[in-house]
Amino acid sequence: MQGVLPDHIIRAMIDRGEITAALPPTADQIQPASLDLRLGTTAYRVRASFLAGGDAPVAERLTEFEMHKVDLTGGAVLEKGCVYVVPLMEALALPDNVSAVANAKSSTGRLDLLTRAITDGGVEFDRIGPGYTGPLYAEICPRSFSVLVRPGMRLNQVRFRSGQAVLSDADLRARHGESPLVSGIPVIDDGLGFSVDLQPATGDLVGYRAKPHTGVIDLDRIAGYDPADFWEDVRSSEGRIILDPGAFYILVSREAVTIPPDCAAEMSPYLAMVGEFRVHYAGFFDPGFGHAKAGGTGARGVLEVRCHEAPFVLEHGQVVGRLVYEKMAALPDRLYGADMASNYQGQGLKLSKHFKM
């Protein structure tokens, strides 16, 4: 059985002790093709981001870089510009044929909250090798807003796979011919390319830019904040915007995408050589995202964009990323958007769930 492991196999992994937790996992942690990971009770403020490397456990490296501990039990603020390491409630004892990859959840990325998984002996962020046995940690760096967190909050998620799962370009072309994966003419090159929308059908609002000096965001407070207190509108009447170095933007893809029930997907950069800006992709695309069987009619991808060294002109229709599709090892019991709380099914340009519509 090769491919991304679906929800019912994740439940079986929990039953077999391949996934363990300080508190029993809850049913809504298990997504169609991933598992939400929960923060533990302590955050370690560290001097710098690090990987354990070699055979070193993360706990040992923390003694080198720790500045102080933060008790999260009653809620605590993680400050903008600081780096924290938080032991997660979940731990793994993976079989030798199962690997894993972690990613920030969609709402986490839309707050410019850099969240990456690290493991004992790990030499890459978010990548967990076959047969890994040990604890999981989240490295958290709030980059635009300070955030209030508590134990049990879910900022990142993990996806499990067995063997080769990535669909080839030939597979994508065949699938698109049978049932469109994307609106418009597909750009298929090591995945399914997508571009930025800077010419909306109505009006001139093309995105949002994070304000530099704002209050704290409580991650448990849903639809509780006025966007104007944290974001300024980005408007364009000519199909282009200039990205400012260091600024963070929420934009949207021009294309609507669909994830079939037997596939999952992840966003990746389109060209590594484009160094002027970075599109930070958070969250996995679960089976059923934008698909008719889950009540969707296609959904556009939200782009989390940060400009780097120099101001950069971004043009309407410029290809900025690609979707890498993976085959599911089996169909999930549920699809994204069907019989489950799905904040972003059928989405367009949209801030995280913490802001009022």
Side-chain angles (χ1 to χ4, degrees), residues 153-288:
M153 282 185 171
R154 308 168 195 176
L155 303 189
N156 55 349
Q157 55 195 341
V158 63
R159 179 174 284 175
F160 304 95
R161 63 167 63 91
S162 176
Q164 170 61 271
V166 175
L167 270 64
S168 68
D169 287 351
D171 291 333
L172 290 177
R173 292 188 185 98
R175 280 180 170 267
H176 182 78
E178 296 167 2
S179 178
L181 299 176
V182 64
S183 60
I185 299 173
V187 176
I188 297 177
D189 182 7
D190 284 337
L192 184 67
F194 60 89
S195 60
V196 62
D197 184 9
L198 297 177
Q199 289 182 341
T202 58
D204 61 356
L205 179 66
V206 298
Y208 303 95
R209 169 178 160 153
K211 291 185 173 181
H213 308 292
T214 66
V216 173
I217 294 177
D218 183 342
L219 297 186
D220 272 341
R221 188 178 174 192
I222 308 303
Y225 295 99
D226 185 344
D229 292 336
F230 295 85
W231 302 92
E232 49 192 46
D233 293 349
V234 177
R235 299 182 179 274
S236 174
S237 58
E238 53 188 16
R240 70 170 63 94
I241 60 173
I242 298 177
L243 303 177
D244 290 326
F248 178 72
Y249 299 83
I250 295 291
L251 306 173
V252 70
S253 71
R254 183 175 61 165
E255 300 82 6
V257 300
T258 296
I259 311 299
D262 64 341
C263 291
E266 183 178 358
M267 282 188 178
S268 296
Y270 190 70
L271 288 174
M273 294 83 75
V274 178
E276 289 85 354
F277 69 99
R278 164 70 179 170
V279 181
H280 172 65
Y281 305 108
F284 297 119
F285 283 63
D286 273 326

Side-chain angles (χ1 to χ4, degrees), residues 11 18 68-69 78 102 136 143 156 190 194 240 327:
R11 284 192 289 272
E18 295 165 5
H68 61 84
K69 296 179 184 178
L78 304 186
L136 298 173
R143 295 190 293 182
N156 55 349
D190 284 337
F194 60 89
R240 70 170 63 94
K327 180 76 173 176

Side-chain angles (χ1 to χ4, degrees), residues 180 182-183 256-258 288-300 345-347:
V182 64
S183 60
V257 300
T258 296
F289 181 85
H291 197 273
K293 288 187 176 180
T297 55
R300 296 197 286 167
Q345 180 71 297
Q347 69 182 357

